[in-house]
Amino acid sequence: MRYLSYWVFPIISGLMWLATLLGLLLHWIVDTHRVRYASMNDNQTIAYISDVGASELKPLFVTGCIITTIFLDLSFGSDRYLRHKGRLVPNTSTTEKVLSALTIVFAVIGTIGLTFLSGFDTLRYPRLHDIFLLLFIAGYLLSAIFICAEYQHLSRKNRQHRVLRLSFWVKVVFVVVELILAIAFVATNFKGYYNSAAILEWIIAFIFSFYIFSFYIDLYPAIKTRNNPLSNNTARRMEETYYATHPSVLPHQRDTQDSQRTLTDGQGHGHGHHGHSNSAQSKNRTDQRDF
């Protein structure tokens, strides 16, 4: 149990999503020999994921989507919790915290979309199914964009943590590829190229599993801080280090500069004030360090 930690959440979610997709695809190809479902269009010979999911395997589709979203949301929540506790590189600015919150908000929207589109299948509820499909794709894409922005901010201030840069690029590649494929999917579907759209949908879904697995990169480092007695102070120490190396962003910088000018002026009054000047300078340095 030594290495069992929060990183298992994205692994469970990704494996569940892969298992669901493979179960649906292999059932349609092997078991039904590419049967044509009632929900398919006249000139369509390749089934959408939702076509197979609306058939006798609907319980698998619904269960797979629910379990996938539960553990994926646990991954998002764990990332935020561990950064708050200082066990991962913490969010030290308002911008980072806002980006983190937006990431979770749009992930929840994506969760609602994926969960409900599996229940409101394309055969019985085609209009609702399309709406929830849009929520699923848009929600998780926007969530990925915001988490990329958050990780970019974090990696610029914490260059020693290379895992942030690695995770950032993995997610950027996902966003770019999925966005291109999503646009192509919408275009082909709108123009009636349903077989091409179906193939694109399967590809988009399988690539999504690798995005889920990418959270393993983010959560695995928390193993090293599990039993660290200083882990509760990590966030504060990282924040102090950042401000120490970026003095231009220190709050109350103007007050500090005024105090330094006062100390400089006081040094010209004579040797009798030298002790007081040293004490004030020491206090000024202490104030900056204790921020």
Side-chain angles (χ1 to χ4, degrees):
M1 300 295 290
R2 179 180 179 182
Y3 295 102
L4 196 62
S5 185
Y6 296 92
W7 61 264
V8 301
F9 293 148
I11 298 299
I12 294 174
S13 178
L15 289 176
M16 189 68 237
W17 182 242
L18 273 179
T20 302
L21 292 178
L22 288 173
L24 295 173
L25 183 60
L26 292 176
H27 171 74
W28 178 65
I29 295 175
V30 178
D31 295 338
T32 69
H33 304 287
R34 303 190 180 190
V35 67
R36 189 178 179 282
Y37 293 107
S39 58
M40 296 169 65
N41 292 282
D42 294 337
N43 60 339
Q44 180 186 351
T45 58
I46 300 177
Y48 287 96
I49 298 173
S50 52
D51 290 325
V52 186
S55 65
E56 62 272 12
L57 287 189
K58 182 174 181 177
L60 170 65
F61 188 39
V62 173
T63 303
C65 289
I66 292 175
I67 294 177
T68 297
T69 54
I70 287 175
F71 283 95
L72 181 55
D73 287 346
L74 285 174
S75 301
F76 281 106
S78 297
D79 182 83
R80 183 68 192 96
Y81 170 77
L82 292 170
R83 295 194 190 285
H84 177 71
K85 289 296 184 180
R87 289 184 57 185
L88 293 176
V89 179
N91 301 115
T92 56
S93 69
T94 302
T95 299
E96 292 166 2
K97 293 174 182 178
V98 169
L99 290 172
S100 177
L102 289 173
T103 296
I104 295 175
V105 168
F106 282 100
V108 171
I109 292 175
T111 294
I112 294 172
L114 182 56
T115 303
F116 280 78
L117 74 83
S118 63
F120 292 95
D121 60 73
T122 188
L123 177 62
R124 301 170 184 83
Y125 312 95
R127 187 62 177 267
L128 285 175
H129 180 84
D130 290 341
I131 292 174
F132 290 125
L133 177 62
L134 177 62
L135 285 179
F136 164 55
I137 296 176
Y140 278 117
L141 263 180
L142 288 172
S143 177
I145 290 172
F146 285 121
I147 201 170
C148 284
E150 177 194 354
Y151 283 10
Q152 184 183 35
H153 279 267
L154 286 171
S155 61
R156 283 190 305 184
K157 296 192 302 185
N158 303 275
R159 296 185 183 276
Q160 70 276 22
H161 296 280
R162 296 181 181 180
V163 68
L164 288 170
R165 181 59 57 179
L166 173 62
S167 181
F168 167 76
W169 283 113
V170 169
K171 291 175 174 60
V172 164
V173 170
F174 164 80
V175 170
V176 173
V177 172
E178 290 286 72
L179 184 59
I180 294 173
L181 291 175
I183 293 173
F185 168 74
V186 172
T188 52
N189 193 60
F190 180 77
K191 292 185 177 181
Y193 302 132
Y194 299 116
N195 287 334
S196 299
I199 293 173
L200 288 170
E201 185 187 51
W202 284 101
I203 294 173
I204 290 171
F206 276 109
I207 292 177
F208 181 64
S209 64
F210 293 100
Y211 171 68
I212 299 173
F213 286 133
S214 74
F215 285 92
Y216 167 85
I217 302 173
D218 307 324
L219 300 176
Y220 187 80
I223 289 178
K224 298 178 181 179
T225 57
R226 174 188 292 169
N227 299 317
N228 185 355
L230 299 177
S231 62
N232 291 333
N233 298 320
T234 303
R236 182 175 179 81
R237 286 189 283 110
M238 287 183 175
E239 187 173 6
E240 290 172 352
T241 301
Y242 174 70
Y243 285 129
T245 56
H246 298 76
S248 61
V249 299
L250 271 169
H252 310 301
Q253 187 69 20
R254 183 174 179 179
D255 294 339
T256 302
Q257 292 174 349
D258 291 342
S259 299
Q260 289 176 343
R261 283 199 297 270
T262 303
L263 292 172
T264 302
D265 294 340
Q267 288 177 352
H269 291 309
H271 182 74
H273 298 287
H274 184 70
H276 175 71
S277 177
N278 288 342
S279 176
Q281 288 177 341
S282 175
K283 183 179 184 301
N284 181 55
R285 287 195 301 270
T286 301
D287 291 342
Q288 290 189 21
R289 185 173 66 253
D290 290 340
F291 175 74

